Amino acid sequence: MKHILRQAALTFVSFAFLYAALGALSFLIFPDSTSEAQRDFQNAERTLYMTVPKYVFLGRSVLNSAGEKAILVGASNTGVGFIQRSIQSKLPCAMVSNLAVGGANISEMKQVVDLVHEVQRVADRPSNTFVIGVWFGMFVDSDVKYSDPDRNRGETDIDLERYRYGFYRRAPEGPVALLPANWLDAGVLVIRPILVIEKIAREVRTSISLLLTGRKSAQRDEAEREIAAMSERDKKKALDYWTEAMGKKDEISLGQAKLLSDSIEALLRSGERVVLIDLPIPAWHRDASPFQRSYEKAFTDISRQFDGQPNFVSMSMSDLSNEQDYSDEVHAKRHLANIWSDRLANVLNSFMCRVPPEKARVSLRGSDQSHAETHH
């Protein structure tokens, strides 16, 4: 028995040593960002965290700061369409972070806002400016949106990350935290060796995919998106897809619209600022979709609800609907993303930094500026 116990102890010590060594090695390969209150979570693939939902969930403690912050939330068109480093270079008074999660609906967007609040002191919340990018595809109920067979119905990608490493547990009333938010960084430190193993496994799969198909991923890279064009067949498939994805109705979820309104009201009540952006989509999609009309009404109603409040501004870029500027039915190409980013930087400079638009360090060309529809 003594021999067995001794052997078990040695095995445990050896495993603990290897686990700690792997964790230490991870800091050499994937050092933590030294930036404070600022991070581009869209770069998740190049980090230890690999995916945006995982990066947002595990890396959000960087937003625990009293300094002025512009925090972008929304779906993938917010992630692709607003270039964090470009906006940051034109916004001297605040730190910019892009926490947009691909495929998010309004419910998941609100989860991201709540995750940010979890790691912040209540007294620091007035330093937040939440930039909320929306379009009709985000106004779908979670039970419809998240109904994959590999997850519990209604669980978002953020929910999956809550449960993945045991930081939360499922309960009838929803996710219950097992690790206090102020211990988040310690929890991430403990699981870093696991993250390294997952990262290595993904890199192996990517290498095999490159060998077999000549591509690292099914996703287009930036250069491929820039030259992409949609055929009439592609457009029909996209319209059919969104009809299915939205629940085969002809209008957006009013429950999701109410949730957006309630979320904005709560942010304003806590002293935070909100920039609500009506994100453009190509004209062919906007004009053909049965959901656009109810979406536009909801956006207008919500904007009017908060018009006149000093901490709220709504912004539309509806003039930017040229089909050739989009890689598909919703995502802006890089050259258009530069314009989106300039427009947002211009609004943020006026809203947060109190810099007059004509003095903001933003390159808006000709009609790009004159056609911007910004409502205070």
Side-chain angles (χ1 to χ4, degrees):
M1 176 61 76
K2 185 182 294 186
H3 178 73
I4 293 174
L5 290 175
R6 181 173 178 274
Q7 193 62 40
L10 288 174
T11 301
F12 175 79
V13 170
S14 298
F15 175 80
F17 175 79
L18 290 173
Y19 192 83
L22 187 58
L25 181 63
S26 72
F27 283 100
L28 297 177
I29 304 174
F30 302 103
D32 273 354
S33 171
T34 56
S35 61
E36 294 182 0
Q38 175 259 6
R39 184 168 287 174
D40 187 1
F41 290 82
Q42 305 309 304
N43 286 330
E45 189 176 347
R46 295 194 285 273
T47 72
L48 185 61
Y49 304 95
M50 299 179 288
T51 69
V52 175
K54 190 190 299 290
Y55 199 11
V56 167
F57 180 70
L58 296 177
R60 60 198 150 103
S61 62
V62 71
L63 298 170
N64 180 20
S65 164
E68 291 293 323
K69 296 174 289 297
I71 304 170
L72 281 63
V73 294
S76 57
N77 48 351
T78 293
V80 170
F82 294 110
I83 304 166
Q84 180 268 343
R85 63 181 178 274
S86 176
I87 299 170
Q88 184 64 80
S89 69
K90 301 175 178 72
L91 192 68
C93 72
M95 305 303 286
V96 180
S97 296
N98 191 335
L99 281 73
V101 175
N105 65 351
I106 299 300
S107 293
E108 188 168 34
M109 178 279 297
K110 183 181 183 302
Q111 287 181 327
V112 174
V113 173
D114 291 342
L115 288 177
V116 172
H117 284 165
E118 281 184 7
V119 297
Q120 293 179 330
R121 297 185 310 156
V122 173
D124 291 337
R125 289 186 185 179
S127 67
N128 296 333
T129 297
F130 279 99
V131 178
I132 305 174
V134 295
W135 72 293
F136 80 71
M138 293 179 65
F139 292 80
V140 53
D141 290 320
S142 292
D143 284 352
V144 175
K145 176 77 175 178
Y146 307 104
S147 56
D148 306 343
D150 60 346
R151 72 175 81 200
N152 290 348
R153 193 176 188 88
E155 285 186 351
T156 69
D157 291 341
I158 291 294
D159 285 325
L160 298 184
E161 296 305 330
R162 292 183 202 264
Y163 304 130
R164 191 182 302 278
Y165 303 106
F167 289 8
Y168 282 73
R169 65 174 176 84
R170 289 181 176 89
E173 65 275 14
V176 175
L178 298 178
L179 183 74
N182 58 334
W183 284 84
L184 175 63
D185 286 342
V188 173
L189 180 64
V190 170
I191 66 170
R192 275 186 75 98
I194 298 174
L195 297 176
V196 171
I197 293 171
E198 291 177 343
K199 178 74 172 180
I200 292 172
R202 172 169 287 212
E203 292 298 327
V204 170
R205 290 196 301 270
T206 298
S207 298
I208 293 174
S209 175
L210 181 62
L211 183 64
L212 295 178
T213 67
R215 296 182 60 88
K216 291 185 176 181
S217 168
Q219 302 295 322
R220 292 169 173 162
D221 60 29
E222 194 169 272
E224 290 171 326
R225 288 197 302 270
E226 192 65 26
I227 63 174
M230 294 194 76
S231 66
E232 292 304 313
R233 182 182 178 187
D234 292 334
K235 293 176 183 178
K236 183 181 184 306
K237 286 175 63 177
L239 289 169
D240 290 344
Y241 169 80
W242 284 107
T243 298
E244 181 76 22
M246 298 292 290
K248 297 184 177 179
K249 300 180 295 183
D250 59 359
E251 62 179 17
I252 64 170
S253 165
L254 297 181
Q256 291 288 295
K258 179 66 163 55
L259 180 61
L260 176 59
S261 174
D262 291 345
S263 299
I264 293 173
E265 184 175 3
L267 289 171
L268 296 177
R269 195 185 310 121
S270 66
E272 296 163 274
R273 293 178 293 267
V274 174
V275 178
L276 180 64
I277 308 179
D278 172 20
L279 298 177
I281 56 178
W284 70 263
H285 190 197
R286 178 197 64 204
D287 297 340
S289 172
F291 306 101
Q292 185 67 20
R293 178 177 295 182
S294 61
Y295 161 73
E296 289 179 355
K297 182 180 184 306
F299 185 90
T300 299
D301 289 346
I302 292 172
S303 296
R304 287 175 177 169
Q305 178 184 350
F306 300 107
D307 266 352
Q309 297 202 30
N311 280 5
F312 175 81
V313 60
S314 66
M315 172 184 174
S316 174
M317 300 184 291
S318 58
D319 57 306
L320 300 177
S321 58
N322 188 346
E323 175 181 342
Q324 285 71 38
D325 293 331
Y326 292 82
S327 60
D328 53 26
E329 73 273 19
V330 65
H331 296 104
K333 294 180 179 180
R334 175 56 187 262
H335 69 271
L336 180 60
N338 289 332
I339 297 174
W340 282 26
S341 301
D342 275 0
R343 288 197 180 183
L344 177 57
N346 197 40
V347 169
L348 290 175
N349 265 299
S350 176
F351 189 47
M352 299 177 66
C353 309
R354 307 304 178 190
V355 176
E358 65 274 10
K359 294 184 179 180
R361 295 185 296 112
V362 181
S363 58
L364 295 178
R365 298 182 297 276
S367 62
D368 289 344
Q369 188 169 14
S370 62
H371 288 156
E373 301 173 22
T374 306
H375 309 284
H376 290 268

